[in-house]
Amino acid sequence: EAQVTQNPRYLITVTGKKLTVTCSQNMNHEYMSWYRQDPGLGLRQIYYSMNVEVTDKGDVPEGYKVSRKEKRNFPLILESPSPNQTSLYFCASSLSPIGGHYGYTFGSGTRLTVV
Amino acid sequence: AQKVTQAQTEISVVEKEDVTLDCVYETRDTTYYLFWYKQPPSGELVFLIRRNSFDEQNEISGRYSWNFQKSTSSFNFTITASQVVDSAVYFCALSEAAGGTSYGKLTFGQGTILTVHP
């Protein structure tokens, strides 16, 4: 089944403890990106990647890192999480940055709480 | 910079009513793509439609229809004869084509919470 897999689905952590949210897709998509969803703000793009080793900042990149060493994986790294990074996170992929005929494929989301 | 505005934060209707969700966008580029996504209470994002800037034909899919008007930079979504299962958050989004100043960025609106009462 074609899908984007994010792990974990839920995570509670403490301020300053480094964490990684994994994202993997099995559709050979070149484009991948990360979003955070907050009430009243919709989804905001954190980082995106056009292809392996090509990443760029979205609208809210502060406090996050990404890497794209393989086409299928695009992990989101929080080096020193803070409470304002408590949010619902989504990973997405697509054949191209403009989305395919069926748009972007999103993962199921990761609900992160930083205390 | 691109921007998407969904002015309606919440809409509440009774089943079988028609409802229109508004979406207004801003972009400097002539080639771009517009999307609608549905987020049901379970939380996943469900793709509904993609429309490119050169195709202003309205689209109908069952009870769903979309009205794209470049003149007013709007891409509105109408649900006819709403049902309880339509209750969800709906997002409009914009992506610019290759060569655009924001190529690679996908910008979402704030979302509209639709509640359909039985």
Side-chain angles (χ1 to χ4, degrees):
Chain A
E1 180 189 352
Q3 60 185 359
V4 175
T5 303
Q6 285 180 236
N7 280 297
R9 289 293 308 275
Y10 302 92
L11 178 61
I12 301 175
T13 190
V14 296
T15 299
K17 185 178 181 182
K18 181 179 178 180
L19 67 92
T20 299
V21 184
T22 63
C23 174
S24 181
Q25 50 94 3
N26 62 0
M27 296 164 281
N28 202 35
H29 285 169
E30 292 193 347
Y31 180 83
M32 297 184 76
S33 59
W34 275 102
Y35 304 84
R36 60 177 289 173
Q37 182 180 357
D38 301 290
L41 297 175
L43 283 85
R44 294 177 293 166
Q45 194 172 41
I46 303 171
Y47 269 95
Y48 60 95
S49 170
M50 299 287 204
N51 212 327
V52 175
E53 303 292 3
V54 181
T55 63
D56 210 343
K57 296 177 181 178
D59 294 319
V60 288
E62 296 78 21
Y64 305 94
K65 284 176 57 177
V66 293
S67 69
R68 188 92 182 271
K69 295 186 171 62
E70 309 164 276
K71 201 171 190 178
R72 63 183 293 126
N73 296 323
F74 190 44
L76 179 69
I77 302 156
L78 285 73
E79 295 269 2
S80 182
S82 61
N84 64 13
Q85 292 178 297
T86 292
S87 187
L88 177 59
Y89 291 86
F90 285 99
C91 179
S93 75
S94 177
L95 276 172
S96 82
I98 57 174
H101 183 70
Y102 299 103
Y104 304 84
T105 303
F106 283 85
S108 300
T110 296
R111 188 165 291 282
L112 171 66
T113 302
V114 183
V115 298
Chain B
Q2 53 192 38
K3 184 179 178 182
V4 177
T5 302
Q6 295 178 252
Q8 303 150 309
T9 305
E10 292 191 52
I11 299 176
S12 182
V13 299
V14 177
E15 213 169 16
K16 297 184 183 173
E17 280 186 42
D18 298 347
V19 57
T20 295
L21 284 62
D22 297 333
C23 172
V24 174
Y25 62 91
E26 294 175 30
T27 175
R28 294 179 182 174
D29 292 316
T30 56
T31 305
Y32 49 90
Y33 295 81
L34 295 162
F35 305 82
W36 275 95
Y37 278 87
K38 173 182 180 180
Q39 186 178 44
S42 50
E44 74 272 22
L45 287 158
V46 179
F47 169 77
L48 295 178
I49 191 172
R50 180 182 90 148
R51 176 53 51 87
N52 74 56
S53 54
F54 294 109
D55 182 2
E56 287 194 71
Q57 273 192 330
N58 290 336
E59 174 135 356
I60 298 174
S61 176
R63 295 184 298 107
Y64 295 170
S65 62
W66 290 269
N67 179 250
F68 176 33
Q69 294 201 338
K70 282 179 80 169
S71 60
T72 56
S73 297
S74 64
F75 187 43
N76 297 336
F77 172 35
T78 297
I79 302 174
T80 302
S82 59
Q83 299 176 1
V84 173
V85 293
D86 296 326
S87 296
V89 184
Y90 290 87
F91 291 100
C92 181
L94 166 69
S95 175
E96 291 176 359
T101 53
S102 298
Y103 182 52
K105 291 190 175 183
L106 178 63
T107 301
F108 282 82
Q110 303 92 318
T112 297
I113 302 170
L114 173 65
T115 303
V116 181
H117 299 281

